[in-house]
Amino acid sequence: MLPYKSISLTAHHHSDGLNPGQKMALSFIGFGFLLQLVYWLGFRSEGAGLWLWSSIGLVSAGSLWYTINQYKNTLPGIKNNHNWLSSLTSRGSLAWILAIFLTGFYILLYWYPEFLGLAKEGENNRGLVALFDPLSFGLKGKPASQWFVYGALYTLIILLLGIKFIYKYRHNKYQVYRTISIMFFQTAIAFILPEIMQSLNKPYYDFKNIWPLNYYFFFDWNIDAMMAAGTFGYFMLFWGILSFLVITPVLTYFYGKRWYCSWVCGCGGLAETAGDPFRHLSDKSLKAWKIERWVIHSVLVFVVLMTVSVLVTRFFGIRNIFLIDSGTLSHVYGFLIGAAFSGVVGVGFYPLLGSRVWCRFGCPMAAYLGILQRFSFKLPWKKEAVRMSKFRITTNGSQCISCGNCSTYCEMGIDVKAYAQRQEDIVRASCVGCGICSAVCPRGVLRLENL
Ligand code: SF4
Ligand code: SF4
């Protein structure tokens, strides 16, 4: 029988799982976001600098304080504690509230930016967009747009929750290095560099956003903008084609899709940092795996047909080689996949469906990388099939104690335990090589290798 004291302590601890320091830290974060909300809903436009920096300061201080409080006296690694007891991480009411807030924010961002305060022609920004004007003027000498606000918040979240992630998995070098990499690519290459380029009157370009994820790369307006930018513009065009045709297959051959999905990509970066508390929510059923393969490959086919159609229109003047006008096709893709799937569902549903919904079910770049990672072919003069990637997860199944940590925390819904028990290498198109299955295995069964 447990002594009375332990029972009461356990009961108290389960009430919300937060210590007083964490509660204080959360109030800092809440207050920081409240400042943004007041500025936004008040549709203000003056004193933005003070409000912005106070808000960023409070949110950052609160987040770091929370991180230290949560992990300082604990062993590094995954924390199972309260996952299925906390409302936020077990699809409870808090999870639903967060999901509705996030999807609502994305809907405003894509289709109603005026509600965020984006100025009409000849007017000044107000509300949330005006709040970010000082930062935008500092970087490119122009007022903010709703996309600038999005980029700034996205980067801030990856940085703060990236630090939390690194502290949580501080025992594991792979996790530490890849998170630093994600933070670097998001901050320097996706956020700051394109802004500086715009201040030099160059077109907006995120060098790591590769077609087909960057579905508008071959759109007329984008090609025109690059060609109008002279030598540098031609370099962008060349880089875009090179990264899809050469860099991606070569790096995937050596390292698997992880070089992109877990070390470089911004969508993956947000999923790994902000989405970390929700990774166990991914559906592990065979049905989900089947749906995943159908949907993600359909999106890949869609983006290829849409791009071919746009290019045929540009170079041959034929508007409807697939019986639908290329303009309509690109609009439908932009609306359905570029906005609704990748943003509204992809991020908005983190608290309900897990952190990699977009990467698993929708991203055409993940589909392309997955084909390279998974497939092999036969050459007549070789006995063994030639694999298009050296990456695999090897399993030392005799050590497995069937705890199931690996399957639970696989954000791509792979039943890792089943492979471990069969002593089978894991070569799956969807595996993003995040390495969490290996990091949470108490027996050292799983190794990410390039053999
Ligand atoms: S199998 Fe392991 S490395 Fe691959 S996605 Fe799942 S948790 Fe990450
Ligand atoms: S985490 Fe390790 S020990 Fe547990 S089921 Fe997976 S492979 Fe086996």
Side-chain angles (χ1 to χ4, degrees):
M1 206 176 91
L2 282 168
Y4 170 73
K5 207 171 165 198
S6 349
I7 295 174
S8 69
L9 272 180
T10 313
H12 170 74
H13 204 48
H14 276 199
S15 61
D16 57 15
L18 298 176
N19 61 41
Q22 284 172 298
K23 287 178 185 164
M24 283 295 289
L26 281 181
S27 352
F28 267 55
I29 298 174
F31 195 56
F33 280 121
L34 188 65
L35 285 183
Q36 295 194 12
L37 202 65
V38 169
Y39 201 89
W40 174 7
L41 298 182
F43 253 50
R44 299 172 66 100
S45 56
E46 65 288 340
L50 184 65
W51 284 74
L52 177 68
W53 295 119
S54 311
S55 154
I56 291 181
L58 280 167
V59 170
S60 307
S63 168
L64 297 175
W65 191 7
Y66 184 90
T67 299
I68 293 170
N69 252 287
Q70 187 168 14
Y71 301 127
K72 85 173 168 226
N73 292 324
T74 62
L75 288 173
I78 201 88
K79 301 283 175 293
N80 300 314
N81 327 15
H82 310 296
N83 264 350
W84 294 109
L85 296 173
S86 141
S87 168
L88 186 64
T89 53
S90 62
R91 302 193 185 102
S93 38
L94 277 182
W96 278 91
I97 291 170
L98 181 63
I100 290 167
F101 175 80
L102 287 173
T103 41
F105 182 73
Y106 272 93
I107 289 170
L108 296 181
L109 189 70
Y110 281 110
W111 298 298
Y112 304 100
E114 63 278 12
F115 288 111
L116 300 176
L118 185 70
K120 293 197 188 90
E121 198 67 34
E123 290 179 4
N124 289 331
N125 284 328
R126 291 186 299 160
L128 190 64
V129 184
L131 184 67
F132 284 81
D133 273 346
L135 186 59
S136 181
F137 273 109
L139 277 173
K140 64 178 170 190
K142 292 178 193 157
S145 66
Q146 83 271 34
W147 298 117
F148 182 84
V149 174
Y150 181 52
L153 286 173
Y154 199 102
T155 307
L156 182 70
I157 287 171
I158 288 190
L159 287 177
L160 293 175
L161 297 181
I163 292 172
K164 177 169 176 269
F165 189 92
I166 289 175
Y167 195 36
K168 179 175 176 183
Y169 296 100
R170 58 193 179 278
H171 64 308
N172 189 308
K173 270 193 194 147
Y174 183 76
Q175 300 304 333
V176 173
Y177 291 147
R178 82 179 174 89
T179 309
I180 292 172
S181 167
I182 281 170
M183 289 157 77
F184 165 77
F185 277 103
Q186 175 57 35
T187 313
I189 310 298
F191 183 54
I192 296 179
L193 187 62
E195 297 301 332
I196 292 177
M197 277 161 44
Q198 279 177 294
S199 75
L200 302 171
N201 278 327
K202 301 287 177 218
Y204 174 90
Y205 189 52
D206 172 357
F207 279 89
K208 61 160 191 52
N209 192 8
I210 302 171
W211 185 91
L213 178 57
N214 178 357
Y215 63 92
Y216 56 79
F217 184 75
F218 293 104
F219 283 9
D220 273 352
W221 58 264
N222 196 39
I223 296 184
D224 289 344
M226 287 190 279
M227 288 168 73
T231 317
F232 191 63
Y234 279 96
F235 170 71
M236 288 179 195
L237 193 56
F238 172 72
W239 175 260
I241 295 170
L242 188 79
S243 40
F244 159 69
L245 274 184
V246 181
I247 298 175
T248 297
V250 170
L251 287 180
T252 309
Y253 173 72
F254 287 110
Y255 305 109
K257 78 196 273 188
R258 57 180 165 156
W259 76 269
Y260 193 71
C261 299
S262 292
W263 288 71
V264 172
C265 179
C267 307
L270 193 71
E272 292 296 332
T273 51
D276 183 54
F278 308 110
R279 60 172 66 244
H280 57 286
L281 299 175
S282 59
D283 190 335
K284 316 292 190 298
S285 66
L286 286 176
K287 192 169 158 209
W289 185 12
K290 199 169 172 189
I291 296 173
E292 162 197 317
R293 282 173 294 174
W294 270 102
V295 178
I296 199 167
H297 293 118
S298 306
V299 174
L300 181 62
V301 170
F302 189 2
V303 76
V304 170
L305 294 182
M306 185 270 287
T307 305
V308 168
S309 153
V310 165
L311 286 173
V312 166
T313 305
R314 180 179 182 98
F315 290 108
F316 303 103
I318 305 167
R319 294 204 63 89
N320 52 359
I321 49 158
F322 300 120
L323 305 177
I324 304 174
D325 183 82
S326 58
T328 312
L329 210 52
S330 53
H331 269 110
V332 172
Y333 186 91
F335 174 79
L336 278 183
I337 311 294
F341 201 160
S342 82
V344 180
V345 176
V347 180
F349 286 20
Y350 272 16
L352 304 177
L353 298 178
S355 52
R356 288 267 194 177
V357 179
W358 162 248
C359 310
R360 182 179 177 194
F361 294 96
C363 174
M365 181 70 185
Y368 171 44
L369 288 158
I371 291 171
L372 295 172
Q373 171 161 281
R374 171 76 184 81
F375 284 96
S376 50
F377 53 90
K378 283 289 282 175
L379 289 174
W381 60 90
K382 271 199 148 188
K383 256 203 198 146
E384 289 193 356
V386 181
R387 291 197 46 218
M388 287 162 81
S389 169
K390 291 153 78 90
F391 173 70
R392 71 191 67 200
I393 301 177
T394 55
T395 59
N396 174 12
S398 58
Q399 290 295 314
C400 176
I401 52 168
S402 301
C403 66
N405 270 354
C406 50
S407 298
T408 303
Y409 292 102
C410 175
E411 55 196 345
M412 300 303 281
I414 298 171
D415 188 0
V416 184
K417 184 179 83 176
Y419 290 87
Q421 289 175 334
R422 292 198 301 266
Q423 306 231 30
E424 211 177 282
D425 286 357
I426 303 168
V427 181
R428 280 275 291 264
S430 61
C431 172
V432 288
C434 65
I436 291 293
C437 54
S438 166
V440 302
C441 173
R443 304 284 296 166
V445 172
L446 307 156
R447 283 174 71 94
L448 279 70
E449 299 191 78
N450 309 308
L451 295 170

